[in-house]
Amino acid sequence: MSQKTIIAPSVLSADFSRLGEEVEAVCEAGADWIHLDVMDGHFVPNITFGPPVIKAIRDRTDKVFDCHLMIEPAERFLGAFAVVGCNIITVHAEATTHLDRSLQAIRDLGCKAGVSLNPSTPETVIEYVLDRLDLILLMSVNPGFGGQDFIPSVIDKVARVRTMIGARPILIEIDGGVPPETAPLGADVLVAGSAVFKGGREAYAGNISALRTAADEPRFAALGSRRSWASNQKIVIDPSYI
Ligand code: DX5
Ligand code: ZN
């Protein structure tokens, strides 16, 4: 697990009419990566953007472009996302017949290879491709939209995936519904859209540091027990809680 939690704002919640400026603003506010939610209206019930938009914002920052492909099929488009400057390309295990080949193809393009699992997909589907992976994206919402509620069962999945990957240099990323009070424990990367982009540009830095504090504060580590999630309620983690 990397030392500092990586915060990857999802631009899905940004002001699309000023996307370039939004990318610059959230990077200045402390974002580590930029999370790009590509949706095709087929694999997920929403349509967002593709390579031309990513190309248009690539020179706004040198931060990592973390490209989450919620498209099916994905294989034929991997090169198009690599050539416009995506550093990480993540495909959904549920959206590809030949996951091993897709992951190899991503690495052959010079990008880091990621796989994403929907909340209901067991981690066993990736046990034979672990050595093809640089990142595992665990969905904590059903893909397609921002602003949804966090699905607590992903906390158990993080722990099981952590065990599964052992000492392999694979990052675990959690994506969706991650406002500070539910910043999950044990992930290396947190993706957040509405929790980062809420309140206007002057709020971005505070939103990002609140996420980072919630994820990194050692005292929160003691909250690893599932009990704190069993109620499936949004909890406000207070120091006196432990
Ligand atoms: C959902 C996307 C997520 C989403 C996160 O399909 O993969 O990245 O945009 O947005 P919030 O943080 O608002 O749930
Ligand atoms: Zn995403």
Side-chain angles (χ1 to χ4, degrees):
M1 178 173 173
S2 58
Q3 294 311 312
K4 182 173 75 108
T5 301
I6 295 166
I7 305 296
S10 159
V11 298
L12 187 64
S13 302
D15 177 350
F16 272 29
S17 72
R18 305 182 297 168
L19 195 52
E21 295 158 49
E22 289 279 80
V23 167
E24 285 178 354
V26 80
C27 289
E28 279 159 27
D32 296 306
W33 295 359
I34 294 294
H35 185 79
L36 303 163
D37 284 315
V38 178
M39 301 181 187
D40 65 358
H42 166 63
F43 179 66
V44 292
N46 196 2
I47 299 176
T48 54
F49 50 79
V53 171
I54 295 172
K55 183 177 180 190
I57 58 175
R58 177 65 273 187
D59 64 357
R60 297 297 190 112
T61 177
D62 58 4
K63 301 268 187 189
V64 166
F65 269 17
D66 172 34
C67 186
H68 178 193
L69 295 182
M70 288 162 275
I71 65 175
E72 182 179 12
E75 290 76 11
R76 68 180 71 156
F77 300 103
L78 298 177
F81 286 98
V83 79
V84 294
C86 293
N87 306 98
I88 303 169
I89 298 179
T90 296
V91 295
H92 266 261
E94 307 89 352
T96 175
T97 311
H98 303 289
L99 179 59
D100 185 285
R101 181 160 59 199
S102 300
L103 297 171
Q104 285 189 66
I106 293 169
R107 280 184 166 171
D108 290 349
L109 288 162
C111 299
K112 295 291 187 188
V115 66
S116 182
L117 302 180
N118 286 333
S120 62
T121 302
E123 66 278 5
T124 47
V125 303
I126 59 173
E127 63 185 320
Y128 293 104
V129 293
L130 293 175
D131 292 323
R132 305 273 194 220
L133 288 170
D134 301 295
L135 180 126
I136 298 170
L137 191 170
L138 299 178
M139 292 305 298
S140 41
V141 294
N142 290 300
F145 302 94
Q148 301 178 82
D149 280 345
F150 180 81
I151 298 174
S153 61
V154 79
I155 293 295
D156 282 348
K157 197 185 282 188
V158 170
R160 291 197 301 272
V161 167
R162 182 69 69 196
T163 304
M164 181 190 257
I165 63 181
R168 294 179 180 87
I170 301 173
L171 293 176
I172 298 177
E173 182 175 58
I174 286 189
D175 184 4
V178 187
E181 63 273 12
T182 62
L185 304 170
D188 304 301
V189 187
L190 290 185
V191 175
S194 43
V196 169
F197 285 98
K198 68 184 178 188
R201 286 204 188 154
E202 57 285 352
Y204 292 175
N207 294 341
I208 289 172
S209 66
L211 268 175
R212 210 187 294 285
T213 303
D216 282 346
E217 266 301 322
R219 72 174 182 278
F220 292 164
L223 275 177
S225 74
R226 283 200 300 279
R227 180 172 48 79
S228 60
W229 304 105
S231 66
N232 193 16
Q233 300 303 316
K234 281 197 183 341
I235 57 173
V236 177
I237 301 174
D238 178 275
S240 60
Y241 182 84
I242 38 181

